[in-house]
Each structure stands twice: as structure tokens, then as C-alpha cells.
């Protein structure tokens, strides 16, 4: 499956949209494996606060990343059940814990802009650009940046 298609209007990109803390985010559909409701989440002792835990998803161990914590936002209130977007990075499975999943949007590739200078720095470090929609700004999440939770601990 590809996230970019060529039409008579030009190159198009498809995004799975998600809402985190009231902000609309988009993930390239080619990076999304599935969308699920995380159940039976097991906490990991001594893990970073950004790691919500691990779970078994169809026989695979999935590390769940709390996107609110990753973005420096407060924990969700109101008792709504969070959703998760499943992604892979270098053969490892991850779930990105979000407030709610949206729809799939097809947007022109040339409509994607660099991060604006006034974009919240917490979002900017995880963003790979933005799309200006009619009524809001969609921040494009860079999955590779999102999953850079701890710096490489290689000896210098």
C-alpha cells in the first residue's frame, strides 16, 4: 500500500487523522498498520513516562507510547477510552495512544508546508510539516521522530 498517488491534480498523499489534546494530527497511511482499542495494558517498571505499557495484539508484543505524554500534554480527563494507531519501526510494533481517530484524508502533496515558526515546540519536534485545512491546521506526525524516545546510548 502506498501513501502517495498521482492524479490529474498532481501527487496526492493519504493520511489517517487523529486528535490528541484537541489538535488534529495526520499520519501517512503507509506507516499505519492498524487502529485498535488498547486493552489489558501492562505497565513496564522503570520505563520512561512516555511509555504507557505493553500489550499483546494478535500474538505480537506491542509497546504503547502515550502521545499526550510525548507531546508534554496533561493526562486526558473525562473517562473517554483512548484509541491507538499501530505502526512499525525497524521490525518492532508500536501503538501510539491517541484521544480519538478521525478519517482518512487525501491531500495534495504540494499543500504540505514546512513547520511554521510559531508551531508549539513540543509539536514541532515530532512534526514533518503541516497542512492548512479549511477550519484547522493538521500537523503531520513523523513516526520516526515520534519513536525516538531515548537517545542512542552508544559509547562515544
Amino acid at each position: 500500500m502506498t501513501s502517495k498517488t498521482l492524479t490529474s491534480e498532481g501527487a496526492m498523499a493519504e493520511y489517517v487523522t487523529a486528535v490528541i489534546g484537541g489538535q488534529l494530527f495526520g499520519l501517512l497511511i503507509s506507516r499505519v498498520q492498524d487502529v485498535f482499542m488498547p486493552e489489558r495494558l501492562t505497565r513496564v517498571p522503570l520505563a520512561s513516562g512516555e511509555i504507557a505499557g505493553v500489550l499483546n495484539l494478535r500474538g505480537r508484543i506491542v509497546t504503547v507510547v502515550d502521545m499526550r505524554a510525548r507531546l508534554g500534554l496533561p493526562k486526558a480527563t473525562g473517562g473517554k477510552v483512548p484509541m491507538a494507531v499501530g505502526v512499525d519501526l525497524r521490525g518492532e510494533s508500536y501503538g501510539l495512544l491517541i484521544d480519538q481517530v478521525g478519517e482518512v484524508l487525501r491531500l495534495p502533496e504540494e499543500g504540505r508546508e514546512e513547520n511554521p515558526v510559531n508551531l508549539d515546540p513540543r509539536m514541532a519536534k515530532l512534526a514533518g510539516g503541516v497542512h492548512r485545512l479549511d477550519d484547522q491546521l493538521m500537523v503531520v506526525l513523523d513516526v520516526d521522530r515520534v519513536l525516538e524516545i531515548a537517545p542512542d546510548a552508544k559509547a562515544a
Side-chain angles (χ1 to χ4, degrees):
M1 180 175 7
T2 180
S3 63
K4 295 180 183 176
T5 55
L6 196 57
T7 65
S8 58
E9 302 95 41
M12 301 290 283
E14 292 182 298
Y15 299 92
V16 173
T17 60
V19 177
I20 307 165
Q23 173 63 50
L24 181 68
F25 291 90
L27 293 98
L28 281 172
I29 201 167
S30 63
R31 298 300 305 265
V32 175
Q33 302 299 315
D34 48 36
V35 175
F36 59 94
M37 292 179 70
E39 297 178 13
R40 299 181 58 148
L41 199 58
T42 304
R43 297 280 312 153
V44 178
L46 305 177
S48 159
E50 297 171 351
I51 303 297
V54 294
L55 57 81
N56 184 331
L57 182 66
R58 294 186 284 283
R60 293 189 75 175
I61 300 300
V62 176
T63 302
V64 179
V65 177
D66 183 342
M67 289 303 297
R68 281 181 160 269
R70 190 75 178 98
L71 290 165
L73 300 173
K75 289 202 177 294
T77 58
K80 285 185 89 175
V81 177
M83 297 288 295
V85 176
V87 296
D88 277 0
L89 180 67
R90 293 188 285 276
E92 295 293 323
S93 296
Y94 296 89
L96 306 179
L97 207 56
I98 59 172
D99 296 341
Q100 76 184 72
V101 73
E103 57 190 334
V104 173
L105 293 179
R106 286 185 79 218
L107 300 171
E109 190 63 37
E110 69 269 2
R112 184 172 171 171
E113 302 173 20
E114 293 294 320
N115 293 340
V117 294
N118 61 346
L119 184 64
D120 185 319
R122 299 171 298 184
M123 289 183 198
K125 70 179 180 180
L126 304 178
V130 297
H131 276 280
R132 294 180 195 275
L133 305 178
D134 291 337
D135 56 347
Q136 61 188 324
L137 186 73
M138 182 184 81
V139 177
V140 178
L141 279 179
D142 182 326
V143 173
D144 294 337
R145 290 184 197 170
V146 168
L147 296 176
E148 287 175 5
I149 293 173
D152 250 348
K154 293 182 181 173

